[in-house]
Amino acid sequence: MGQLPEQTEYAEMNALEQRIRESSLPRSMSDQIMNRIGEREMTRLSTKPKPNVIKRAILVASAAAVLGGTVIGSGFVSPVMAATLKQIPVLGVLYEGTSEDAVKAAIEQGILSEPNLSLTHDGVTLKVADLLYDGTRLSFILEREGVDLPGTASPYISEDATLIGNQDSEYVKSRKVAKEDQEKGYIEMPRILVDGQEVAMGEGTFGDYPQQDNAYIVELTKGLKLPDQFELTIQANVTQVNETFEFKIPVNVANPSIVVKPDEATKSDGPFSYTVKQLDISPVSTRLVLDSKGEVPASAEQTGDYSASMVYYELVDDQGNVLSPRKFEYFHSEPQTEYHIDQLYSPLNGTPKSITIKPFTLTVNPKDWSVIGQDQDSVGDKTYLKDLEMTIPVKP
């Protein structure tokens, strides 16, 4: 199983619930989603003998649909663009705003490929349909044939799982099913190896691919330290199928992401400061990594009955193009005094001479932490922190 050392399952489940509840979805819809996942009955679990392995199958179907579908449905992709990206399904959920030229560049550089490898065991077929590796993240889709089930991700809890919380809940009882009694055809969380060694990762998503029936997606987005050329091994087990599906795929990225690590890239305003640690630029995405500390600056409008949110960061290239974040995360609570930000944004059009970081806050009501000006078309009223703007030169 892939390891997720930086997050316990308890934190992962709570983060998922928080993200859904605090999304821009209508309240009724977010409540329906949480009911599907199991509401407060959602049980935290870990699997022995590896306590930091996360068995995510019980939540991924709903979670992937929410977190993927919300972003896709929020206006970042035009109808023309959506039609183009349908030709390469993995980009539809992972990289909003990716242009046709960027897709072509990704294929030419070996970042995006279609292995079209398939195996059939006991009447069930798995196919590796799409593979993406740009130097900082690894993603692939498994298509399934031979069974007709409502989803691809296994909903079952392993019999040897150690449960934390209400072990007698109906939700847990309905999913803790002996292997011989499980329905045939569900995909369990795959094991991923690079050059024969299991991949260590900081964050990952495993589960139903919301834009396609009978498809399972794996996305490893943080903490990857892989070479530009390697042999990828995917080992997937399917319920009621004894033999493991194993795929070996050569990966060779001709031009990996441009990595910018600026020297002394720190900006301060009173007690608040942030330091840019890294910018990653590839044909399919842009990543910003930074650390911040201190009390968030507040404008005149963010006093009295209102206050400032945590600090968010807008990216603008040297041509004035604003890069959209892959997802916008609301944290309806008092801002902390320290943050580590590792955020994906839409790709740049070529390699710019520089990228400007424009920090901003939202105005919130501390009674319920609602965001002023937030609706389906807006994340809320932004207050830009001019004294904290920073321009990072890009030298490919």
Side-chain angles (χ1 to χ4, degrees), residues 24 66-77 92 96 211 376-377:
S24 57
V66 175
L67 302 183
T70 299
V71 176
I72 293 298
S74 57
F76 291 134
V77 181
E96 300 79 34
Q211 272 71 39
Q376 292 293 338
D377 300 317

Side-chain angles (χ1 to χ4, degrees), residues 88-332:
I88 306 177
V90 71
L91 294 178
V93 69
L94 297 182
Y95 303 100
E96 300 79 34
T98 305
S99 68
E100 185 176 0
D101 288 342
V103 170
K104 291 178 179 178
I107 294 173
E108 291 171 357
Q109 295 177 22
I111 289 172
L112 181 65
S113 63
E114 296 180 281
N116 289 323
L117 299 176
S118 66
L119 288 172
T120 301
H121 297 314
D122 197 15
V124 177
T125 298
L126 294 186
K127 174 185 176 183
V128 184
D130 297 282
L131 174 67
L132 189 150
Y133 177 65
D134 68 353
T136 64
R137 67 201 54 81
L138 175 68
S139 309
F140 59 85
I141 289 178
L142 295 175
E143 295 180 349
R144 181 193 63 188
E145 298 176 356
V147 290
D148 184 14
L149 296 171
T152 57
S154 173
Y156 303 115
I157 299 174
S158 173
E159 290 184 287
D160 62 354
T162 300
L163 304 182
I164 302 170
N166 184 4
Q167 302 186 33
D168 297 322
S169 71
E170 291 302 318
Y171 183 84
V172 172
K173 289 179 180 178
S174 67
R175 284 159 178 77
K176 201 167 185 179
V177 179
K179 281 189 173 294
E180 60 270 19
D181 296 327
Q182 295 176 4
E183 195 165 4
K184 179 180 178 180
Y186 285 112
I187 301 172
E188 299 177 353
M189 190 173 80
R191 186 166 178 254
I192 303 163
L193 302 94
V194 167
D195 292 334
Q197 299 296 314
E198 190 166 0
V199 173
M201 52 188 149
E203 185 173 303
T205 299
F206 305 80
D208 290 352
Y209 176 58
Q211 272 71 39
Q212 182 179 343
D213 293 335
N214 291 310
Y216 183 103
I217 188 167
V218 172
E219 178 194 2
L220 311 182
T221 57
K222 297 178 184 178
L224 288 177
K225 296 180 180 179
L226 307 179
D228 297 335
Q229 184 174 349
F230 57 87
E231 182 183 67
L232 175 69
T233 301
I234 302 168
Q235 296 175 344
N237 289 312
V238 173
T239 55
Q240 292 287 16
V241 176
N242 293 327
E243 193 168 355
T244 298
F245 294 77
E246 182 174 272
F247 302 94
K248 293 184 180 293
I249 307 166
V251 177
N252 185 7
V253 180
N255 294 298
S257 300
I258 297 172
V259 178
V260 180
K261 295 184 178 181
D263 296 327
E264 300 181 3
T266 299
K267 278 282 188 175
S268 302
D269 182 10
F272 180 85
S273 67
Y274 74 97
T275 300
V276 176
K277 298 294 187 179
Q278 187 167 314
L279 279 167
D280 296 336
I281 302 169
S282 84
V284 290
S285 66
T286 307
R287 183 193 293 275
L288 171 67
V289 182
L290 63 80
D291 292 326
S292 71
K293 61 181 180 180
E295 185 177 346
V296 174
S299 66
E301 293 78 13
Q302 295 171 334
T303 58
D305 293 336
Y306 299 100
S307 63
S309 69
M310 66 173 286
V311 177
Y312 296 93
Y313 302 88
E314 188 174 278
L315 298 187
V316 184
D317 69 12
D318 56 350
Q319 302 299 312
N321 300 307
V322 178
L323 307 185
S324 301
R326 180 181 164 192
K327 56 180 178 287
F328 195 92
E329 297 180 321
Y330 292 97
F331 295 93
H332 294 180

Side-chain angles (χ1 to χ4, degrees), residues 51-68:
N52 58 358
V53 170
I54 295 180
K55 180 71 172 180
R56 302 186 57 163
I58 60 174
L59 62 92
V60 286
S62 296
V66 175
L67 302 183

